[in-house]
Amino acid sequence: MTIELYVFPPSPRSFKVMAVANHLGLDCALRMIDLRKGEQKAPQYAALNPNMRAPTLKDGDLVLWESNAINQYLALRRPESGLFPADERARLDVTRWQFWELAHWDPACAVFAFEYVAKRLVLGINEPDQAALAKGTEVFHRAAKVLDGHLAGRKFVSGDALTLADFSLGSAMNLAELAHYPVEPYAEIRRWHAGLRALPSWQKTLAQCALPAAAAAA
Ligand SMILES: N[C@@H](CCC(=O)N[C@@H](CS)C(=O)NCC(=O)O)C(=O)O
């Protein structure tokens, strides 16, 4: 049975699951949920994911939503990859960073992604809300300091090898330039993300997720 991934490719949360599937060489069928057309609200999709958000995974009668849960499921199909380590402490560390991503890093990046990219791409509004950006800047620096400090002297977020933690945290960084994240002071984050971008699976996914030219224009 083919695993189906319902995704909106320009979104970092969809990129996250597509990149892991590509990295593991899993043959997944991509089903486009076009947020610009409101397809996430179609009754058929809402029956799979009551949040009416992407991504969602369907594997036979198993339906999973939440990108980090989907990634754990994908990585468990290929335990030998080490993306979700079997060792309890190593696995907890990966999980810890996935939780941190949802609680702190995703919201820190999402303000910029929404104000500079999603608003234009999905809502057709070209005016970022300066008050939201000012508040978002504080939130971003608070989280970025933690991640940057942690990455000093490390190639990957958790342990010595690539794991789901890198995919979880690195995906939002793809929008850093387009969404004007204030990432300049964080050399460790920029160095680590450049390493992720060099992965063949990352490159393949970026190509699949290429933003339409209109959205990419500043
Ligand atoms: N925590 C969820 C977030 C999913 C999410 O917010 N997806 C956005 C795309 S980036 C979405 O579908 N938004 C559509 C909407 O809000 O209507 C995850 O990681 O899967």
Side-chain angles (χ1 to χ4, degrees), residues 11-13 16 35 40-41 52-55 66-68 102:
S11 126
R13 291 134 185 171
K16 199 196 281 185
L35 304 184
Q40 73 277 24
K41 296 180 184 147
M52 295 186 269
R53 294 171 190 268
E66 281 301 323
S67 55
N68 287 333
L102 270 186

Side-chain angles (χ1 to χ4, degrees), residues 19-211:
V20 167
N22 282 331
H23 190 81
L24 296 170
L26 291 169
D27 190 19
C28 296
L30 298 180
R31 311 273 184 237
M32 167 79 154
I33 295 298
D34 196 334
L35 304 184
R36 294 166 301 184
K37 297 183 184 157
E39 288 176 359
Q40 73 277 24
K41 296 180 184 147
Q44 238 181 336
Y45 185 72
L48 288 178
N49 185 338
N51 301 289
M52 295 186 269
R53 294 171 190 268
T56 302
L57 171 146
K58 188 168 183 317
D59 189 8
D61 62 1
L62 173 76
V63 175
L64 259 188
W65 34 264
E66 281 301 323
S67 55
N68 287 333
I70 292 171
N71 274 351
Q72 291 190 2
Y73 181 77
L74 295 174
L76 288 169
R77 302 309 94 205
R78 295 272 190 277
E80 69 284 2
S81 70
L83 286 192
F84 194 39
D87 173 77
E88 186 178 67
R89 286 184 183 214
R91 181 169 290 200
L92 282 170
D93 195 53
V94 170
T95 310
R96 176 258 295 266
W97 283 109
Q98 289 190 298
F99 287 176
W100 187 83
E101 185 256 339
L102 270 186
H104 302 292
W105 187 239
D106 178 284
C109 299
V111 178
F112 293 88
F114 178 73
E115 292 299 333
Y116 284 110
V117 183
K119 241 173 153 171
R120 189 151 37 87
L121 181 66
V122 180
L123 305 176
I125 300 170
N126 277 315
E127 206 54 54
D129 177 338
Q130 294 304 329
L133 288 173
K135 194 151 186 273
T137 301
E138 272 180 48
V139 174
F140 185 89
H141 286 305
R142 186 164 173 188
K145 272 180 201 153
V146 174
L147 183 57
D148 198 67
H150 176 74
L151 284 169
R154 289 187 163 91
K155 189 168 176 199
F156 300 107
V157 170
S158 182
D160 297 330
L162 183 73
T163 66
L164 292 182
D166 298 289
F167 286 91
S168 288
L169 291 159
S171 297
M173 276 299 293
N174 293 338
L175 287 182
E177 206 176 323
L178 194 60
H180 306 278
Y181 297 176
V183 76
E184 213 284 321
Y186 305 109
E188 296 294 342
I189 295 179
R190 289 186 282 107
R191 186 250 325 142
W192 156 78
H193 181 244
L196 297 178
R197 277 187 78 97
L199 294 169
S201 54
W202 208 274
Q203 285 297 316
K204 179 179 173 182
T205 316
L206 282 174
Q208 288 174 320
C209 293
L211 284 168

